[in-house]
Amino acid sequence: MNLILLGGPGSGKGTQAGLLEKKLGIVHISTGELFRENIQNETELGLLAKSYIDRGDLVPDGVTVDMVRARLANDTHLEGVVFDGFPRTINQADALRELLAEKDWEIDAVLHIVVSEAEIVRRLSGRLICSKCQQTYHKEFNPFRYCPTNSCEGQFLYQREDDKPETVRARIHVYQDQTAPLIEYYKDRDLLINIDGEGNVEEVFGLILKALEISAGM
Ligand code: AMP
């Protein structure tokens, strides 16, 4: 099964994609995460991406699509993919269709996680990430208690540069301008499923599984 998680910054795409990966045995591909890995490793791609990410802008389509193509080629035994944060523009969506067609694959469903702007700001302003294992926490709603991989005491938690309030506002604007048109794009292709993303992690995951059972006829 190949899925896309579509939603604004802070809508919970990454968390839900991680749960889907475990539940369905498919691979979670997050372009944001791939960029952050490149930034940490100080690659050429990382340096380029950082200048866009720190401003809340999108990394150019060509670079992003090439990175996804390389990631897909890396895994020869893929059972399916859950894309998180990709595509983010119509051009990327067209490119993804072509990339998947090369494998005789297509997208089975696009889960659009719907969250209000007020909730997005509340979530992102308190979000913390572990630079060791990329686990996400929240100062208020999900504070660090213990490390799920047993490898730290919470000393690697940091706030993403692009989760600072000014950048969050820029990211919301970019989402509305460049990514939201994908809602119509996938609706026209009968792939869009709206998911109420305001609940807690388990509630939203429950809604996703229910929706997939219906759409996948399982
Ligand atoms: P995320 O972790 O998905 O919130 O992504 C963090 C940042 O990485 C975004 O605000 C963009 O600057 C960049 N980024 C991630 N995915 C894409 C994409 N598909 N296209 C362009 N830029 C992206």
Side-chain angles (χ1 to χ4, degrees):
M1 184 182 284
N2 295 306
L3 303 172
I4 292 174
L5 285 181
L6 185 63
S11 56
K13 299 185 299 290
T15 305
Q16 297 299 333
L19 294 171
L20 284 166
E21 177 176 46
K22 277 197 207 124
K23 177 91 183 172
L24 302 177
I26 55 181
V27 172
H28 174 189
I29 296 184
S30 155
T31 39
E33 192 44 54
L34 291 173
F35 285 132
R36 281 188 290 281
E37 270 169 33
N38 275 280
I39 292 171
Q40 239 173 10
N41 297 332
E42 297 180 357
T43 66
E44 207 175 308
L45 170 63
L47 266 178
L48 173 84
K50 187 169 167 33
S51 60
Y52 293 94
I53 292 175
D54 284 354
R55 288 198 306 265
D57 280 343
L58 295 186
V59 180
D61 286 338
V63 182
T64 306
V65 170
D66 284 350
M67 181 176 74
V68 172
R69 181 183 293 112
R71 175 65 189 84
L72 285 172
N74 221 356
D75 246 316
T76 43
H77 298 295
L78 283 180
E79 294 283 324
V81 177
V82 51
F83 291 98
D84 154 21
F86 181 85
R88 260 176 156 100
T89 63
I90 300 276
N91 276 340
Q92 290 182 14
D94 287 338
L96 177 61
R97 213 162 38 159
E98 283 167 24
L99 281 179
L100 293 181
E102 284 167 23
K103 288 178 174 290
D104 258 342
W105 280 8
E106 50 186 32
I107 293 296
D108 296 292
V110 177
L111 300 155
H112 172 217
I113 309 187
V114 185
V115 177
S116 70
E117 194 169 323
E119 177 66 14
I120 287 176
V121 174
R122 206 161 70 103
R123 288 183 186 179
L124 291 188
S125 56
R127 178 160 77 173
L128 293 173
I129 298 190
C130 176
S131 65
K132 278 266 164 193
C133 68
Q134 316 307 328
Q135 182 76 27
T136 307
Y137 302 91
H138 191 282
K139 286 178 194 164
E140 206 185 316
F141 316 125
N142 178 25
F144 179 88
R145 290 201 181 86
Y146 60 90
C147 171
T149 59
N150 236 335
S151 49
C152 76
E153 299 292 324
Q155 68 271 41
F156 302 113
L157 300 191
Y158 72 104
Q159 180 176 44
R160 274 170 48 174
E161 196 56 42
D162 61 343
D163 278 349
K164 310 248 157 93
E166 329 71 82
T167 321
V168 167
R169 275 192 289 278
R171 287 165 64 202
I172 291 172
H173 184 256
V174 165
Y175 175 78
Q176 282 160 352
D177 203 39
Q178 301 193 53
T179 308
L182 289 176
I183 298 169
E184 280 303 311
Y185 178 99
Y186 285 119
K187 204 195 254 173
D188 288 348
R189 287 162 177 78
D190 264 344
L191 290 171
L192 195 83
I193 302 173
N194 286 316
I195 302 285
D196 177 355
E198 297 266 334
N200 65 33
V201 171
E202 292 74 27
E203 285 164 352
V204 176
F205 191 52
L207 292 175
I208 288 178
L209 289 183
K210 199 168 151 208
L212 286 178
E213 271 166 21
I214 294 163
S215 76
M218 289 193 294

